[in-house]
Amino acid sequence: MTARLLRAARWTALLVALAACGRKTPPVTPASPRPEAVHEVKAVTRGSDAFLSWAVPTKNVEGKDMSPTELKGFLVLRAEVDREKKRPRYKTAAEIDLERPAPAELKNGRVFWTDHGLRYGLVYSYRVRAVSVRGGISAVSEEVRAAPLLSLASSKTLTTEGGDGSIQLTWGSVTSRTDGSTYGGFVGYNVYRGTEPGRYDDLPLNKEPVRKNGYKDTSTANNVTYYYMVRAVDSPALPWTESLDSPEASAVSRKRTPPEAPMGLTVVPGVGRIFLTWNENKERDVAGYHVYRSAKSGKDFERLTDKPVNRTTFSDETMKPGVPYYYAVTAVDQSGNESKMSKEQKATAEKAR
C-alpha cells in the first residue's frame, strides 16, 4: 500500500511540472542602449574659435533613466554651410571620451568643447551625437551654427591685488584686432571670476562693459582665492563681440583692520612665576593672543608666545625672581592682523624660600 501511494505522489509531481512548463510569463525586455538625442547645444564664437556646450543625456531613446556611467562619449559633427546646397555634408570634428575628455571639459552636467582655427567668412554647422558603452548611438542633435568674426585682440596683461574685502584688477589696453590691424572704435571690457583655475562664471561681474583699464571687485569674501580673466568687447551694449580670454590672474582679499587692544590686563606675582589674565576681545574673528615682556617700561618688549594662545590667561615661569618686569598683551585675528599692545602692567616674582 505504501509503494502505491509513493508512485502516485511521483506521478502527481510530474504532471504538475509538465503543466508548469507550458505556462507563459511576460518576457523581460532590456532597456535600449541608445541614448536620447543630445539637447541644449549652444555655440559662441570669439575670434576664430567656436565654443560649444551641451547637456549630458540622462535618459535613453525610450525615455527611461540612463546613468552617466552608461555613456561612453560624444561625436561632434561639423559641416561648412554652402548657401547653394540644402544639406550640409557633415564630418566628424571630434570624438570625446568621457573617461578622458580633454581637451573637452565636463562641468555641472554639461560638456564644453572648443573648435579652434576656423576660417573667417565661413559659416559652420554643428550637430552632436551621444554614444553609450553598449554601442548605442543617439540621433543627431538640433543644428547650431557659428560664424567666426574678426574680433578685438585680447588684453596681454592682467594683474590683481587683494585688499580688505575687495580685489583690484588692472589690465593692458586693447587697440587692435586679432589680425593686428589698428582699431579705433569703442573698446570695453568684461570681467569674469571663478573660484577654480580656468573656470569662470557664465556672466561677467560688471553689468555693462567697463571703459577703464581697471575694476574693483567688492563682492569678495576674505581668505578666499579668486581667479579672474578679462575679455574686450566692441560695443557698449548687446549684441557685442567678445575677444578671447586675457591671461588669468588670482588674488586673495584679506582683512587689514587689526583687532582692538586687549583690556583689563592683570598680573599676579607668585613664587617663581607671574600669572597674567585679561578680558576677552569682542571681535568674533580673534584667533588668539600674544604675551610680551620687558625689563624696561614702554620699550624693548620681547614676545613670550610662539603662537597666539586661545585663552585669556598666561603663566610666565621663565622670569628671574626678584627682578621687576613689565607685561603687555596683543590680540591677533584670523587674517594675522595684530592689535596694539594693551596697557602694560608691572610685577616682580617672589624668590623661593
Side-chain angles (χ1 to χ4, degrees):
M1 187 66 178
T2 303
R4 288 182 180 180
L5 291 175
L6 182 58
R7 284 196 297 270
R10 288 176 178 174
W11 277 106
T12 301
L14 180 60
L15 291 173
V16 171
L18 290 173
C21 290
R23 188 178 302 159
K24 295 183 179 180
T25 58
V28 178
T29 304
S32 173
R34 293 186 62 195
E36 64 179 347
V38 176
H39 57 283
E40 297 182 23
V41 183
K42 298 179 180 179
V44 177
T45 56
R46 291 194 289 274
S48 60
D49 295 345
F51 298 84
L52 276 71
S53 69
W54 58 88
V56 176
T58 58
K59 297 183 181 297
N60 67 3
V61 71
E62 299 169 341
K64 297 180 180 179
D65 290 339
M66 192 172 194
S67 170
T69 59
E70 296 183 60
L71 288 176
K72 180 179 181 181
F74 299 91
L75 299 175
V76 181
L77 309 179
R78 183 186 67 193
E80 295 180 7
V81 178
D82 189 339
R83 296 179 181 178
E84 297 180 358
K85 295 182 179 179
K86 295 182 179 181
R87 294 184 179 181
R89 299 178 61 181
Y90 289 91
K91 295 182 180 179
T92 301
E95 296 184 13
I96 300 172
D97 188 339
L98 287 179
E99 290 187 359
R100 296 176 295 276
E105 183 181 15
L106 184 63
K107 176 185 175 183
N108 298 330
R110 293 186 66 83
V111 179
F112 295 82
W113 176 77
T114 303
D115 194 8
H116 298 284
L118 303 180
R119 290 185 293 170
Y120 293 114
L122 295 180
V123 177
Y124 294 84
S125 174
Y126 296 91
R127 293 180 183 271
V128 182
R129 303 184 76 176
V131 182
S132 74
V133 294
R134 291 190 286 163
I137 302 178
S138 74
V140 293
S141 69
E142 293 184 357
E143 176 196 44
V144 292
R145 294 189 175 187
L149 299 173
L150 189 62
S151 65
L152 292 174
S154 59
S155 181
K156 302 302 180 184
T157 60
L158 175 62
T159 59
T160 54
E161 183 179 357
D164 188 347
S166 66
I167 294 177
Q168 179 66 48
L169 287 78
T170 306
W171 55 82
S173 299
V174 173
T175 58
S176 63
R177 299 182 179 89
T178 52
D179 64 352
S181 61
T182 302
Y183 178 80
F186 175 88
V187 178
Y189 303 91
N190 284 337
V191 180
Y192 291 86
R193 184 184 73 183
T195 54
E196 296 181 46
R199 293 188 174 187
Y200 314 103
D201 297 334
D202 294 333
L203 298 176
L205 291 174
N206 48 288
K207 294 183 179 180
E208 58 184 29
V210 179
R211 303 195 182 199
K212 298 181 180 180
N213 290 25
Y215 180 83
K216 188 174 184 179
D217 182 8
T218 58
S219 61
T220 62
N222 286 333
N223 304 317
V224 176
T225 301
Y226 293 94
Y227 299 85
Y228 298 89
M229 67 85 178
V230 175
R231 294 177 186 149
V233 295
D234 56 5
S235 172
L238 287 170
W240 55 52
T241 301
E242 285 190 318
S243 72
L244 295 176
D245 299 353
S246 72
E248 181 180 78
S250 63
V252 180
S253 59
R254 299 186 186 280
K255 180 185 175 185
R256 307 295 180 184
T257 306
E260 294 292 329
M263 303 287 288
L265 175 61
T266 302
V267 292
V268 180
V271 177
R273 71 168 189 160
I274 294 178
F275 185 76
L276 291 77
T277 182
W278 57 91
N279 298 336
E280 183 179 2
N281 274 49
K282 296 180 180 180
E283 295 93 342
R284 294 182 178 181
D285 64 340
V286 168
Y289 304 88
H290 279 310
V291 178
Y292 291 83
R293 181 185 70 192
S294 177
K296 300 177 181 179
S297 175
K299 61 181 180 179
D300 298 337
F301 279 92
E302 62 172 331
R303 198 173 72 189
L304 301 181
T305 48
D306 293 331
K307 297 180 180 180
V309 295
N310 57 3
R311 58 186 184 277
T312 57
T313 60
F314 183 81
S315 180
D316 179 15
E317 300 176 2
T318 63
M319 29 50 66
K320 295 180 180 179
V323 177
Y325 289 99
Y326 298 87
Y327 292 90
V329 180
T330 62
V332 182
D333 65 21
Q334 295 175 356
S335 297
N337 300 304
E338 187 173 6
S339 73
K340 294 181 179 180
M341 288 187 177
S342 66
K343 292 183 179 180
E344 66 179 40
Q345 296 294 333
K346 181 180 178 181
T348 302
E350 301 177 10
K351 296 181 180 180
R353 298 177 182 178

